[in-house]
Amino acid sequence: MGKWKQAGLVCAGVLGGILISLQFSALAEKETRTSLPIEELRTFAEVFNAIKKGYVEPVGDKTLITHAISGMLSNLDPHSTYLDADAFKDLQVGTQGEFGGIGIEVGMEDGLVKVVSPIEDTPADRAGVKPGDLIFKIDDTLVKGLTLTEAVKRMRGKPKSQIRLSILRKGEAKPIDVTLTREVIKVQSVKSKLVEDGFGYLRITSFQENTGAAVVKHLNDLSKPGPLKGLVLDLRNDPGGLLNSAVGVSAAFLPPDSLITSTDGRAPDAKHEFHASPADYLRGSREDYIKRLPAEARTVPMVVLVNGGSASASEIVAGALQDYKRAVVLGTTTFGKGSVQTVLPLPGNTAIKLTTARYFTPLGRSIQAKGIDPDIVVEETANGGSTQRLREANLDHHLENNSEADSETAVKEAPAKPSSSRALPPAQPKPSGPKDNKDEGDEAAELPSRELASKTDYQLTQALNILKGMQIIRNKP
């Protein structure tokens, strides 16, 4: 028993040291220390010792502890995870808009890698990898038994090297094998096009460090021929990214100091409000790019396009513009990722990505596992067809939306009492939009082209029709 007691104390010390290294507040740290589950840690020590003594092959202490940490995190929710040195480095590089790989956002479900969304114009996207695909084999290695970090590491590789993915897809009787050539993924997060005289199209594919500044540049480019009459902001299939970039993009269209989003969690530093102010959307001593906005950016009529692939940061932007009635939100319900992940560095250049808070729209609406419902529901095709997409509520261990039971209270208790410069509109029920009537037996029409602002894009066409209608109303004597 002496050995078990000693092992239990060692494990308690290891876990206690890990918690301290996460730099939680003194209060949270004290609470964790006083409620350390000694009996459960003793069980952990017994399992640890049994593996060390009796497992068929020798396993190092570091490997076992790493697996234990990974297991703790992966069973909390789909977005908390352990990052080894390579994964941590990839994460840091990825926020700058350049990294190596095949270009997919992934999660874990039933031990398989589940595709959340392919990143636009990457090898995975061009090969037809779809949201909801389950990757069960990477080259000759079965995914079952790998952690998400290990699976992602296998999908990374040198540019021009090949990788074979074996995929299970709903509706397909047989597995699909896809061979991809890895490349350096340089994500151009903002694209734009003047689709018609006076009507601009702005596409954001992800929220990176420089996305806010890029949005301002593209708005200026769109305005060069003359003031815009209308603007379509396309956030479809945008998996999200950096919170400060979402705040910066929102600041380009809303009055200064407007409340954009708020976060709430257990730790005191998880409770925060983010406004359309440089302190919240800039990092360091960078130039305030919002000062370069064209004059009409905050008044031009807008439609925001969303779908089930719009997640996280893109939902923050859509929710803020919807709450202030700054834009009409059109499309289908968004992904529903309303949680905030904090990256906490650990010794050895590793880290954990831990869900620390939920975020809320300016009117106090929680998006978690619910998403943003569009003001006008328009499916992807004229006959009502839309791609079936994975959503947050479909993921194992997803956080529940804890405000659904009292949505009126959530609105009444909005995170801030804005001054007149950032007054919030009264909360109102969202009108349902037009849907095309069709028989269930009709086949879905071909989905829109991947061409930027394609003329076959049904949702974009409807958005432009709405903007033209607004223009007619504004021009009436």
Side-chain angles (χ1 to χ4, degrees):
M1 288 299 293
K3 289 184 178 179
W4 295 122
K5 183 176 180 181
Q6 183 180 12
L9 291 173
V10 168
C11 289
V14 169
L15 294 179
I18 291 170
L19 291 171
I20 294 169
S21 73
L22 300 187
Q23 300 177 359
F24 287 127
S25 66
L27 179 62
E29 187 180 313
K30 181 178 179 182
E31 178 184 344
T32 305
R33 283 178 170 177
T34 56
S35 60
L36 212 57
I38 300 300
E39 288 302 318
E40 286 78 6
L41 287 173
R42 185 173 289 116
T43 301
F44 174 83
E46 291 178 2
V47 173
F48 185 93
N49 192 60
I51 294 172
K52 290 289 292 181
K53 284 185 175 180
Y55 186 66
V56 63
E57 294 179 354
V59 186
D61 293 350
K62 182 178 179 179
T63 299
L64 286 176
I65 294 297
T66 297
H67 288 339
I69 296 170
S70 296
M72 278 193 291
L73 290 162
S74 63
N75 281 286
L76 294 175
D77 67 84
H79 310 293
S80 294
T81 187
Y82 173 74
L83 304 171
D84 63 14
D86 290 337
F88 187 27
K89 182 179 179 182
D90 287 340
L91 178 68
Q92 292 170 308
V93 172
T95 60
Q96 304 301 318
E98 180 175 324
F99 53 93
I102 58 175
I104 51 174
E105 300 280 340
V106 295
M108 208 79 176
E109 182 172 301
D110 296 330
L112 302 179
V113 172
K114 193 160 194 174
V115 178
V116 173
S117 179
I119 299 171
E120 192 170 291
D121 198 26
T122 62
D125 180 45
R126 293 192 293 267
V129 176
K130 297 181 179 180
D133 282 352
L134 290 170
I135 301 172
F136 70 91
K137 188 188 289 187
I138 302 170
D139 290 325
D140 295 322
T141 302
L142 290 173
V143 171
K144 203 82 169 178
L146 298 178
T147 65
L148 182 59
T149 300
E150 290 170 337
V152 169
K153 186 186 294 185
R154 288 180 180 274
M155 287 188 283
R156 303 276 187 182
K158 293 181 180 180
K160 299 184 180 179
S161 63
Q162 288 193 328
I163 179 174
R164 188 176 72 256
L165 303 180
S166 297
I167 292 171
L168 300 175
R169 180 176 295 164
K170 187 175 181 180
E172 297 289 342
K174 296 181 179 179
I176 300 169
D177 286 330
V178 180
T179 299
L180 307 172
T181 301
R182 296 182 181 94
E183 60 186 51
V184 175
I185 308 297
K186 295 182 179 180
V187 180
Q188 182 183 348
S189 67
V190 183
K191 304 174 183 179
S192 66
K193 184 177 181 180
L194 202 60
V195 288
E196 293 183 26
D197 182 28
F199 292 94
Y201 172 83
L202 188 69
R203 168 102 175 101
I204 302 178
T205 60
S206 63
F207 287 83
Q208 302 165 6
E209 192 66 53
N210 297 316
T211 298
V215 163
V216 172
K217 179 184 180 302
H218 281 266
L219 286 172
N220 278 293
D221 291 342
L222 289 171
S223 301
K224 282 179 181 177
L228 291 173
K229 302 173 186 176
L231 178 69
V232 177
L233 176 61
D234 190 352
L235 300 177
R236 292 174 297 178
N237 300 317
D238 181 333
L242 298 177
L243 176 59
N244 69 301
S245 289
V247 175
V249 170
S250 301
F253 304 110
L254 293 172
D257 203 36
S258 299
L259 176 66
I260 304 301
T261 187
S262 62
T263 61
D264 189 19
R266 291 175 57 218
D269 58 1
K271 304 175 190 296
H272 195 77
E273 293 182 356
F274 297 86
H275 296 88
S277 62
D280 287 339
Y281 59 74
L282 293 180
R283 289 188 176 182
S285 58
R286 299 168 59 196
E287 179 192 359
D288 185 1
Y289 50 80
I290 294 297
K291 292 180 179 179
R292 302 195 300 272
L293 270 175
E296 74 270 16
R298 291 191 170 115
T299 57
V300 61
M302 286 181 65
V303 173
V304 177
L305 295 179
V306 297
N307 64 5
S310 307
S312 192
S314 56
E315 293 175 288
I316 289 176
V317 175
L321 297 179
Q322 186 181 60
D323 276 6
Y324 284 98
K325 301 194 184 303
R326 174 64 186 86
V328 174
V329 178
L330 182 149
T332 56
T333 302
T334 61
F335 184 80
K337 183 184 179 296
S339 60
V340 179
Q341 282 68 49
T342 302
V343 177
L344 303 165
L346 296 175
N349 296 320
T350 63
I352 64 171
K353 188 166 65 171
L354 185 68
T355 299
T356 54
R358 291 177 172 88
Y359 65 74
F360 299 84
T361 72
L363 283 175
R365 294 182 294 153
S366 173
I367 297 168
Q368 176 57 28
K370 184 177 183 297
I372 295 290
D373 290 324
D375 298 309
I376 301 176
V377 176
V378 175
E379 304 291 345
E380 293 183 13
T381 60
N383 67 356
S386 277
T387 302
Q388 287 193 348
R389 299 181 186 276
L390 172 74
R391 286 188 167 86
E392 176 79 9
N394 304 129
L395 299 177
D396 288 344
H397 311 300
H398 71 269
L399 291 179
E400 298 295 336
N401 187 319
N402 60 3
S403 67
E404 285 183 342
D406 193 359
S407 57
E408 289 186 8
T409 301
V411 170
K412 289 177 182 177
E413 297 178 357
K417 295 181 179 179
S419 65
S420 59
S421 65
R422 50 186 171 93
L424 290 173
Q428 295 182 4
K430 304 295 181 292
S432 59
K435 281 189 178 181
D436 291 279
N437 294 323
K438 76 178 193 75
D439 295 328
E440 291 183 2
D442 290 349
E443 293 184 5
E446 186 178 350
L447 292 180
S449 164
R450 293 207 307 234
E451 175 193 347
L452 188 69
S454 168
K455 292 182 179 180
T456 64
D457 187 333
Y458 179 69
Q459 291 171 323
L460 174 58
T461 300
Q462 300 311 307
L464 289 170
N465 288 340
I466 290 172
L467 290 173
K468 290 173 185 176
M470 291 180 182
Q471 181 69 16
I472 293 172
I473 292 172
R474 292 179 73 179
N475 290 338
K476 274 189 176 181

